[in-house]
Amino acid sequence: RVPAIVGSLSSQNMLAARAAAGALRSTSRVATAGLRVNPVFQNTRLFASVPTTAERVVHVTFCTDAGERLRVPAIVGQSVFEVAVQNKVVIGDAFTCHVVLDPDSYAVHPPPKDEEMNELAQLTEVERKPTSRIASYLQLVADVPETTCALGDVRDYSVP
């Protein structure tokens, strides 16, 4: 039986659809090598595994000077700045969002690019450390399931 299709089909198109459905049924059988297969799955096509959202989740832990820690989930590809904004962490604007990574996190993240290094050099109001990064440049990658960063003093630029 051919599944219902929205709209009307001409009789010629209906015959073509029935022929295609019959061809699919005859070619999509799964070779079972003597195994019993549930008839419901006998005409099922097999697909390669698709990554789930859970496989793309990493975590970012924000730490303050007062010892407060906030561990939040994030998606691979997001920047640390985006994760902070989504979780209402005060981090500064996109170009002054200086964070200090713990040495373990700094070692496993890709090194900063020249543009980020230039932005860091222009930040004169914060004390730079060897593991300093700009959060808007720091992209989360699947190879690093946990990123820990310390937040420094943040000036609220929305207040004049």
Side-chain angles (χ1 to χ4, degrees):
R1 192 169 168 203
V2 178
I5 299 174
V6 177
S8 62
L9 290 176
S10 68
S11 60
Q12 187 177 12
N13 287 343
M14 183 60 90
L15 289 174
R18 284 189 179 140
L24 273 176
R25 275 194 298 275
S26 65
T27 59
S28 64
R29 299 242 185 247
V30 177
T32 60
L35 298 175
R36 282 185 37 171
V37 176
N38 186 331
V40 172
F41 300 112
Q42 203 158 8
N43 290 326
T44 304
R45 289 182 58 196
L46 300 176
F47 292 96
S49 65
V50 177
T52 63
T53 302
E55 293 170 345
R56 297 181 56 221
V57 172
V58 293
H59 290 88
V60 178
T61 302
F62 296 101
C63 306
T64 66
D65 291 340
E68 299 170 320
R69 296 173 65 88
L70 175 65
R71 184 176 186 255
V72 295
I75 302 294
V76 169
Q78 285 185 301
S79 69
V80 172
F81 177 76
E82 291 171 321
V83 175
V85 169
Q86 284 178 349
N87 291 282
K88 297 177 178 54
V89 174
V90 178
I91 196 167
D93 67 14
F95 293 106
T96 62
C97 48
H98 171 252
V99 294
V100 179
L101 297 180
D102 76 329
D104 294 334
S105 292
Y106 188 84
V108 293
H109 274 285
K113 296 184 177 166
D114 291 338
E115 186 178 358
E116 181 180 358
M117 294 304 289
N118 292 338
E119 292 293 334
L120 276 170
Q122 293 176 14
L123 286 177
T124 56
E125 67 269 1
V126 296
E127 181 183 346
R128 287 183 44 213
K129 306 274 190 214
T131 60
S132 289
R133 295 292 300 263
I134 301 281
S136 58
Y137 287 95
L138 184 57
Q139 299 292 313
L140 299 171
V141 293
D143 298 340
V144 185
E146 184 75 41
T147 299
T148 304
C149 55
L151 303 171
D153 292 331
V154 178
R155 179 178 163 218
D156 187 358
Y157 286 93
S158 63
V159 177

